[in-house]
Amino acid sequence: MTQSIIQLHAGTFTNAFLVQGEAGRLLVDTGPPGAEGRLLAALAAQGVDPESLALILITHGHTDHYGSAAALREHTGAPLAMHAPGRRC
């Protein structure tokens, strides 16, 4: 697998990132609530099976970064992760 970081548009002013490398695929942030369809379509456009995500990483606790996390976890089966200080935002 080629190592890459691909910007995915999750909303008007919001982005998520697909990180691909030897360890697998990682989705960084999930956009606002309701962005899961847009992100699933963006993953498909990159040829990525959503179930191939190894992890969904949330950078911090603002709704435009975690708003679609639960829905994407349901669609992908990938675990969610966020470091403790980020939860206090």
Side-chain angles (χ1 to χ4, degrees):
M1 179 183 305
T2 304
Q3 294 185 359
S4 63
I5 299 173
I6 300 167
Q7 182 176 357
L8 306 173
H9 297 285
T12 305
F13 299 105
T14 317
N15 294 301
F17 296 88
L18 172 65
V19 179
Q20 301 184 100
E22 292 179 24
R25 292 183 169 113
L26 165 73
L27 180 64
V28 179
D29 287 336
T30 65
E36 64 274 6
R38 185 177 293 119
L39 287 173
L40 291 168
L43 290 171
Q46 294 296 322
V48 173
D49 176 356
E51 293 183 5
S52 71
L53 291 178
L55 181 69
I56 298 170
L57 176 67
I58 307 302
T59 57
H60 62 283
H62 289 161
T63 191
D64 59 327
H65 291 263
Y66 75 82
S68 293
L72 284 165
R73 180 182 56 198
E74 282 187 35
H75 285 284
T76 67
L80 298 173
M82 178 194 290
H83 66 99
R87 294 181 192 143
R88 289 180 247 172
C89 290

